[in-house]
Amino acid sequence: PAAIGIGSQIGLDEQDIKSELLPENKLTEIGDTVEDNEMKKKCWRAKRAVMMVGDGVNDAPALALADVSVAMGEGAALAMDTADVTLMDSNLNKLLYIICMGRRVIRTIIENVLFSLIVKAVVMGFTFAGKASLWAAIASDVGAMLIVTLNGMKLLPRKTKESNLPQGSCGEIQTA
């Protein structure tokens, strides 16, 4: 099914993907998984989020229980009201695009923060050693700001003739 195809593209194990369940089974499965994740939550370990994608009235209770719920835009109004995110149509490739773009944004933020801190530490080291002046610190700060801004611009959409939806895994995502 489509759920296994999309799940494998974003790096989920096949046993973590549940599809084609009856409404009561959806509710039980989502509830049990959320409860298991809450019990396993540790202080410094990232919590595993439970995502439910649905489009009908029978999906609304399970959508409400999930950590992240996604409704398909052509589905029932109750599912769209309950969900955290509503896709405007039933194209699951858009969900893949959102997840992959979110990962790219987080990675870019981490890169930018680390780069800025490293530049500031190097300039501070030179300053304490008496090798840098105030103007060198200002120039390095402006230079770091420009580099961080340019690095963030890699997330902007590119003008290409190809589709703006991803075709491969998250590593091969297109931002057209």
Side-chain angles (χ1 to χ4, degrees):
I4 292 177
I6 296 294
S8 65
Q9 288 184 9
I10 61 171
L12 294 176
D13 292 331
E14 198 167 318
Q15 68 263 15
D16 290 336
I17 302 168
K18 310 294 184 215
S19 63
E20 300 178 6
L21 299 174
L22 296 174
E24 60 272 5
N25 295 345
K26 293 175 188 178
L27 193 58
T28 303
E29 189 69 40
I30 295 291
D32 291 347
T33 307
V34 168
E35 188 176 307
D36 287 346
N37 286 345
E38 285 297 322
M39 288 192 296
K40 292 178 183 175
K41 188 166 62 170
K42 304 257 172 146
C43 184
W44 292 101
R45 181 185 280 168
K47 178 185 173 195
R48 289 180 49 134
V50 177
M51 179 187 289
M52 166 70 184
V53 180
D55 64 352
V57 173
N58 60 359
D59 294 327
L63 287 169
L65 275 180
D67 295 322
V68 178
S69 54
V70 179
M72 305 305 246
E74 297 172 2
L78 181 60
M80 289 187 274
D81 287 342
T82 306
D84 298 318
V85 176
T86 300
L87 297 177
M88 296 311 289
D89 59 18
S90 294
N91 186 351
L92 285 178
N93 282 328
K94 291 181 180 179
L95 179 61
L96 175 62
Y97 179 79
I98 292 167
I99 292 170
C100 293
M101 182 56 84
R103 288 179 180 171
R104 290 183 64 211
V105 167
I106 295 294
R107 185 175 58 242
T108 301
I109 290 170
I110 291 170
E111 289 171 359
N112 287 345
V113 168
L114 286 176
F115 178 76
S116 295
L117 291 174
I118 290 169
V119 167
K120 294 201 185 306
V122 168
V123 170
M124 194 178 347
F126 280 124
T127 302
F128 288 146
K131 304 287 184 190
S133 67
L134 177 63
W135 289 109
I138 292 171
S140 67
D141 191 51
V142 170
M145 179 201 57
L146 290 173
I147 291 172
V148 163
T149 302
L150 291 173
N151 189 40
M153 289 176 66
K154 71 183 179 186
L155 297 171
L156 293 174
R158 295 186 191 111
K159 303 272 185 196
T160 63
K161 294 182 181 180
E162 299 172 17
S163 166
N164 64 347
L165 297 176
Q167 299 300 319
S169 65
C170 284
E172 305 163 0
I173 188 169
Q174 300 171 359
T175 58

